[in-house]
Amino acid sequence: MPALSDIQQHTLEVFSVCPCLWQLKVAEALLKGDKDVLCTAGTGMGKTLGFWIPLLFRPDGIQIVVKPLNLLGKQNVTSLAKAGMPVIAINSETATPVNFQVSQQTNDLIWCMCRLQKESEDALHVI
């Protein structure tokens, strides 16, 4: 497990952004992998960076992030591709069998965009 200072430095080198302590803690929890991680923060606070950071330390890892809007997924794909990260956005247009084959050689990030539909007062259904 890398030290928080190492995580911070490597993130700065790759993404040209210095993560805040809470972003480092999210990344650390994901890297430990022993718990589910829930991150809440306001719009524009940088939640996504906390989910990108583990990719830097898992060369054979796979990360799946669910985004509620296709536009957000596409923006993230563009940003990660600029940083040299292999990434794909899965949505209704790209959900093909070929795109669900994940390389065992590289670090892959899959953005899944979905629409949520409320089925009842207590349940949401992914479409």
Side-chain angles (χ1 to χ4, degrees):
M1 171 66 86
L4 289 181
S5 60
D6 294 332
I7 296 172
Q8 186 176 43
Q9 182 61 38
H10 195 45
T11 302
L12 182 58
E13 291 167 1
V14 174
F15 296 124
S16 301
V17 175
C18 187
C20 299
L21 180 60
W22 69 268
Q23 291 166 315
L24 294 169
K25 293 289 193 175
V26 167
E28 181 181 51
L30 288 168
L31 287 168
K32 284 182 181 176
D34 60 350
K35 300 178 192 175
D36 292 335
V37 177
L38 175 65
C39 173
T40 60
T43 301
M45 297 294 295
K47 293 178 290 294
T48 301
L49 183 62
F51 295 103
W52 288 2
I53 295 171
L55 295 169
L56 303 175
F57 299 92
R58 290 184 177 154
D60 297 324
I62 297 169
Q63 188 120 340
I64 298 174
V65 178
V66 178
K67 289 285 187 176
L69 300 172
N70 286 346
L71 180 60
L72 292 175
K74 289 175 185 176
Q75 289 171 344
N76 283 271
V77 165
T78 300
S79 296
L80 286 167
K82 285 181 184 175
M85 305 290 253
V87 61
I88 187 169
I90 301 294
N91 56 44
S92 61
E93 297 168 0
T94 62
T96 64
V98 170
N99 285 337
F100 283 101
Q101 294 175 357
V102 179
S103 168
Q104 297 300 315
Q105 276 23 71
T106 62
N107 191 350
D108 292 323
L109 174 66
I110 301 173
W111 289 96
C112 295
M113 277 65 70
C114 60
R115 256 185 25 218
L116 297 177
Q117 175 183 351
K118 195 166 185 175
E119 287 188 334
S120 69
E121 290 302 311
D122 300 320
L124 289 176
H125 176 67
V126 177
I127 299 174

